[in-house]
Amino acid sequence: MTLELFLLLASALFAIGVYGALSQQSVVMVMMGLELMVNGVVVAAAAFWYFLAPAAPDGQVLVLVVIAAMTVDMAMGFAVVTLLFRAKDADMTDMAAELKR
């Protein structure tokens, strides 16, 4: 496998994520699109690390930190979406935009 193939995979993941985030109205689907976009960035970063400096552990640490941060971010996002749905029965982005205190 070459760097170009990994970058092609990363760009495909990012493009699918952009399409998913911009074309959907469900908050969960928008979050899934954002997750795909971050996964594309992680794949690109890991590919650059593997092909440019495989002996240094910096790339592995960066990927693990990004994955851990992404996990916490998505867990908090799903918690907010769940609370929003329980409180106001809003599951679409246009419903959530109209909420007031």
Side-chain angles (χ1 to χ4, degrees):
M1 305 266 316
T2 63
L3 178 61
E4 291 83 16
L5 289 175
F6 281 108
L7 292 179
L8 184 65
L9 173 67
S11 63
L13 281 173
F14 194 83
I16 292 170
V18 167
Y19 176 74
L22 294 179
S23 67
Q24 300 296 319
Q25 289 187 352
S26 172
V27 177
V28 174
M29 294 300 288
V30 170
M31 289 177 59
M32 288 175 65
L34 294 173
E35 181 81 16
L36 279 174
M37 289 168 47
V38 173
N39 283 332
V41 171
V42 168
V43 167
F48 278 124
W49 163 78
Y50 181 75
F51 285 101
L52 297 179
D58 299 341
Q60 292 177 353
V61 172
L62 175 68
V63 167
L64 289 176
V65 167
V66 168
I67 289 174
M70 191 171 48
T71 303
V72 171
D73 181 41
M74 286 297 139
M76 292 301 296
F78 282 122
V80 168
V81 168
T82 302
L83 288 175
L84 184 65
F85 182 75
R86 286 182 183 173
K88 302 289 183 179
D89 200 31
D91 60 346
M92 299 293 180
T93 55
D94 54 352
M95 292 179 190
E98 296 171 356
L99 293 178
K100 293 184 180 179
R101 286 186 155 196

